Amino acid sequence: MSSEISPKADISPKAKIGDGCKIFPFVYIEDDVVIGDNCVIFPFVSILNGTRMGNGNKIHQGSVLAALPQDFEFVGEKSELIIGDNNIIRENVVINRATHRGCKTVLGSNNFLMEGAHISHDTVVGNRCVFGYGAKVAGDCNIGTGAIISSNVVEKANTRVGEYAVVQAGTTFSKDIPPYIIAGGHL
């Protein structure tokens, strides 16, 4: 089964695209990219060097995957963004690749990222997580399986959210959130 790729998409011939993908017009895909089977890439998505994407993902308009790390330590080293299977990444989501050579930003499988969410460099996200509108996760964070990061949450660098924790809308935090709790406010 071949993929349906718009002739108006700008895709490097070096990129590896799986079977059964649908790639809309005005998508931009760089050289060092691997996309699995049955993915849907909507218009105006940029998938940059270092992206390794699994199967069944849907990437909506205006999203940028493997954007350069927003880290003063970044000097252009080759790093990766690893994305699992069956994720839904809605409009204008930005996910940065890792800062240093051989390092990875990781998004597991079956996650849902709502419009405007941002996952920064070297962050590791488990499976079945939800990120609300405009949620911002700084670099070097770890988010456990099943966590819910509600709308307009700001997670500061080097923090962890435990599995199945819920962070309420508008929360800003610089401390770890334990598993299985509901957290809110300024922590």
Side-chain angles (χ1 to χ4, degrees):
M1 170 171 42
S2 64
S3 291
E4 181 182 340
I5 300 174
S6 169
K8 293 182 180 178
D10 184 359
I11 301 174
S12 167
K14 295 179 182 177
K16 295 178 176 68
I17 310 293
D19 290 333
C21 292
K22 182 167 185 176
I23 300 177
F24 283 79
F26 313 115
V27 168
Y28 174 72
I29 299 177
E30 291 187 327
D31 296 344
D32 184 23
V33 170
V34 177
I35 297 174
D37 298 338
N38 303 309
C39 291
V40 179
I41 315 295
F42 289 99
F44 304 106
V45 168
S46 295
I47 303 178
L48 308 179
N49 287 327
T51 301
R52 306 288 180 264
M53 186 187 308
N55 303 319
N57 293 290
K58 291 183 181 175
I59 316 299
H60 289 258
Q61 292 88 335
S63 292
V64 180
L65 303 182
L68 295 179
Q70 298 179 46
D71 186 341
F72 292 118
E73 294 181 14
F74 180 66
V75 294
E77 297 173 65
K78 185 176 180 179
S79 61
E80 292 180 325
L81 165 61
I82 308 298
I83 297 174
D85 301 327
N86 303 311
N87 293 289
I88 298 173
I89 298 175
R90 292 303 306 254
E91 296 80 6
N92 305 312
V93 168
V94 175
I95 306 177
N96 299 104
R97 65 182 171 95
T99 299
H100 298 294
R101 178 177 300 281
C103 294
K104 301 170 184 176
T105 300
V106 177
L107 178 68
S109 296
N110 301 297
N111 294 293
F112 185 60
L113 285 70
M114 295 182 194
E115 186 270 328
H118 185 174
I119 308 295
S120 293
H121 63 88
D122 301 284
T123 289
V124 176
V125 176
N127 302 317
R128 298 182 309 280
C129 295
V130 176
F131 293 83
Y133 295 101
K136 308 298 180 191
V137 178
D140 298 294
C141 292
N142 191 301
I143 298 172
T145 291
I148 298 173
I149 310 295
S150 301
S151 296
N152 298 314
V153 166
V154 177
E155 179 175 356
K156 305 279 180 83
N158 299 302
T159 56
R160 291 186 271 174
V161 176
E163 61 184 17
Y164 302 102
V166 175
V167 182
Q168 294 177 327
T171 298
T172 300
F173 65 100
S174 57
K175 299 177 182 177
D176 292 350
I177 305 295
Y180 306 105
I181 71 161
I182 298 172
H186 297 283
L187 310 169

